Structures are given as structure tokens and as C-alpha cells.
Amino acid sequence: MKLSQIAQEFGGKLVGEDREIKGLKSISSAREGDLTFLADRKHLETLKNSEASAVLVPEELDIDIPQIVVKNPQNVFYKLLELFYAEEPPSGISPRASVSERAQIGSDVYIGDFAVIEEGVKIGDRVRIYPGCYIGKNTSIGEGSIIYPNVVIYRDTQIGRNVIIHSGCVIAGDGFGYYQEDGKHRKIPHVGRVVIEDNVEIGANTTIDRAMVDETVIKEGTKIDNLVMIAHNCYVGENTILVSQVGIAGSTKIGKNVILAGQVGVADHITIGDNVIVTAKSGVGKDLEPNKVYGSGLQAIEWSKWKKVMFYLYKLPEIIKKLKQS
């Protein structure tokens, strides 16, 4: 693809020779034929020593290689990744898949080897279901969605359009609910469902539990990382981001545009307001007001210093008692 074509496609200005671009790379790894991008001037010296054939920049620079000046080089680079490395989607239904005669299958659908599609399932147009997936009874999957290998989706689940679910996810398994009777843990039946709205992406090995009697809901545009746990009856608002190893206990309500960083744990029946950010490794044990940043995670410190901190922490009640008596 010519630099002039890229400039025209994204409303940019080409400065320098019109070269053919064969690939996209970072500044440090780019070679001849590659296009890279500069999002921050602190990387300018690295760029000057780069072997890249051209660079996307936010403003014209005094450099020797051709450049395309665009408003947001990083975003243009991301879009070019889609153009340069687009995969040909698979098509057709494998004869080794098990598809119920009572399932409704749209047009241009792909169902891979050893996938199981139960009765009452509704699959929209252009859906891709990769090998080894299980889609339980009366589940619906909206058009353009992608279900990667070995995903398990239990019965009665509703999945919107253009949803991406990565390998190893379990959607709508029973919530962790028990009651005590006669000194034993008795299982609470979970007869609700999971609803995942349009344009949601769910990372590998994430689990989302079905509600006890109502719905566990993931609203439109939310992005969920790998290894996230969302318990029964939770509600996650629009455009929220849940980073890896987040754990959310039952009946928690999370607003829109929320960010929960890695390893955040949220207790049950908590409400987190819109536009909240919770920093990594924090524990949330009470409601959080909207439009604020919260955090309690400890940064790693040198071990001998940490032992001293803990020594005085255990001594704190005694120290406070002596101060009160003085």
C-alpha cells in the first residue's frame, strides 16, 4: 500500500517520498518497508535511528524519512492494523458439528468441528462459532458475533451483536449460592439468565454467572479482560473496563464508564457510580460515589523496610494507648 493511499484514506498530509508500505511495526523494531507511528516526542531520538520507511506523526518534523501528518497517529495505526492483517473469516457448518434441527441458523454462519448447538438456539447472520464450543438451549447470539474455541455458553443466554468471546470462557454457569440447613450447605437453584449486550468483548477464561431468578447484565460496549469473575445478579454498565483478575461478588451494580484495574475485588451488594476508577489490587467494601478515583493497593517495597512497617503497625494500638495516657 502506497503512503499516498494511506494519507488519502485518513485525511493526512504526505511529506516526502511516496513509498510502498508492506508492514506495520513499532519504532524500535521497524525495518525497510515498515510504517511506524510517533505518539510522543520523547521517542523522537529513537525514531531518528529507526530503519522504518515512514512514520505517522501529529505534526511535521525535521526528520529524514517520509511522514504522514494526521491528527491522531496512534489511532490511525490501529486502524491500519485491521487493513494490513485482516483475516479471511471461515465459513460453512462442519459436518462434525452437532447442530439441533430445532436451532435457527442465519446466513453466512460458521460453525466449527465438534461444536454443539442445542435446540432452540438462535444464531444471527455472519456469526462465527469456532471448534469445541457448546451453546446451550434457547440461547440467542446476535449478528456478527465471534465465539472462539472451547467457549461454554449455558442455556437461556442472550448475546447481542458484534460480541467477541475468547477461548475458555464460561457464560451463565450457576452462581455460587448456598443456604444452610441441618448443618449442611444446600444448593440454591439458579434459574435466571445472563444478558450480554452489543459490542462487548470478553477475554479468555473469564466467567460470568447466571442470576438466581433475574438477570446478570453486561451492558453495551463493555470490555472485559482475561481471567475476570462476575458473580450472579451483577449489573455492569455501558463502556466499562474490567482488567485481568478482577473479581465481582453477587448483586453488585457497576455504573457506566467505570475502570476496575487489575486484581480489584468487589464485595457483594456494592454500588459503584459512573466514571469511577479503582486502582490495581484494591478491595471495594462499600459503595463508591461517581466521578472519583479510589485505590488502596500497596506498591512493592524492599522486604526489610516492609518488615519494619509491619512491626510498627502491630505496635500501633499500644502506641495510641500510651499517647492517650500521656
Side-chain angles (χ1 to χ4, degrees):
M1 192 174 190
K2 288 278 194 178
L3 289 173
S4 56
Q5 293 175 276
I6 296 172
Q8 183 177 4
E9 177 72 21
F10 296 100
K13 174 187 174 185
L14 173 60
V15 179
E17 180 186 350
D18 188 11
R19 295 178 177 176
E20 184 74 26
I21 296 299
K22 299 178 181 179
L24 305 170
K25 294 287 185 180
S26 65
I27 292 175
S28 58
S29 64
R31 298 291 181 264
E32 184 177 348
D34 292 332
L35 174 68
T36 189
F37 73 95
L38 181 74
D40 194 316
R41 291 185 70 93
K42 69 182 180 181
H43 301 300
L44 183 56
E45 288 303 313
T46 305
L47 175 64
K48 289 180 179 179
N49 295 317
S50 173
E51 297 178 26
S53 288
V55 60
L56 298 161
V57 293
E59 58 186 0
E60 189 171 338
L61 301 174
D62 183 19
I63 53 177
D64 293 333
I65 64 173
Q67 52 195 298
I68 298 175
V69 182
V70 289
K71 185 177 180 180
N72 192 321
Q74 199 163 346
N75 286 2
V76 170
F77 190 84
Y78 296 154
K79 292 174 182 177
L80 283 168
L81 287 172
E82 296 181 32
L83 290 176
F84 272 75
Y85 303 104
E87 294 183 9
E88 185 68 27
S91 60
I93 298 175
S94 169
R96 290 184 288 274
S98 175
V99 180
S100 170
E101 294 180 356
R102 297 183 180 180
Q104 298 180 27
I105 311 297
S107 61
D108 299 321
V109 167
Y110 166 68
I111 301 176
D113 293 349
F114 308 113
V116 176
I117 312 297
E118 296 277 23
E119 64 179 276
V121 170
K122 297 179 181 179
I123 297 175
D125 297 343
R126 302 181 307 283
V127 167
R128 283 183 265 165
I129 299 175
Y130 281 83
C133 290
Y134 170 82
I135 313 298
K137 292 181 181 180
N138 302 319
T139 289
S140 64
I141 302 175
E143 61 186 50
S145 291
I146 302 172
I147 315 297
Y148 281 108
N150 299 317
V151 168
V152 173
I153 301 175
Y154 285 53
R155 58 177 174 79
D156 300 318
T157 300
Q158 179 180 316
I159 295 173
R161 296 172 297 175
N162 302 312
V163 170
I164 300 172
I165 302 179
H166 289 277
S167 294
C169 286
V170 177
I171 309 298
D174 283 355
F176 190 70
Y178 300 87
Y179 65 97
Q180 278 207 339
E181 186 177 71
D182 301 327
K184 296 181 179 180
H185 299 297
R186 306 290 187 183
K187 182 175 177 62
I188 299 172
H190 283 68
V191 296
R193 64 175 186 160
V194 171
V195 176
I196 298 171
E197 294 191 352
D198 299 345
N199 303 307
V200 169
E201 183 162 3
I202 303 171
N205 295 314
T206 282
T207 60
I208 302 174
D209 289 348
R210 75 170 52 250
M212 184 175 69
V213 291
D214 299 314
E215 294 178 342
T216 301
V217 179
I218 312 298
K219 296 291 285 184
E220 182 174 0
T222 284
K223 310 301 180 186
I224 301 172
D225 199 357
N226 304 331
L227 297 166
V228 170
M229 162 64 195
I230 300 174
H232 55 191
N233 292 89
C234 284
Y235 175 99
V236 180
E238 292 91 341
N239 298 311
T240 283
I241 290 178
L242 306 178
V243 185
S244 183
Q245 297 183 26
V246 161
I248 303 171
S251 300
T252 289
K253 183 176 181 180
I254 297 174
K256 60 185 178 182
N257 302 314
V258 169
I259 299 175
L260 301 186
Q263 295 189 342
V264 166
V266 184
D268 59 290
H269 294 85
I270 295 292
T271 298
I272 297 177
D274 296 343
N275 308 306
V276 162
I277 298 174
V278 182
T279 62
K281 289 183 174 290
S282 298
V284 180
K286 63 179 182 178
D287 293 351
L288 302 183
E289 296 180 1
N291 307 308
K292 293 183 178 181
V293 178
Y294 298 85
S296 60
L298 288 174
Q299 299 296 319
I301 63 174
E302 198 272 325
W303 179 241
S304 63
K305 291 181 180 179
W306 176 245
K307 287 192 291 185
K308 290 178 182 178
V309 169
M310 292 303 296
F311 173 80
Y312 286 109
L313 184 63
Y314 283 116
K315 288 282 187 180
L316 197 57
E318 182 182 333
I319 294 170
I320 292 172
K321 184 177 179 181
K322 288 181 178 180
L323 287 172
K324 287 181 178 179
Q325 291 173 347
S326 62

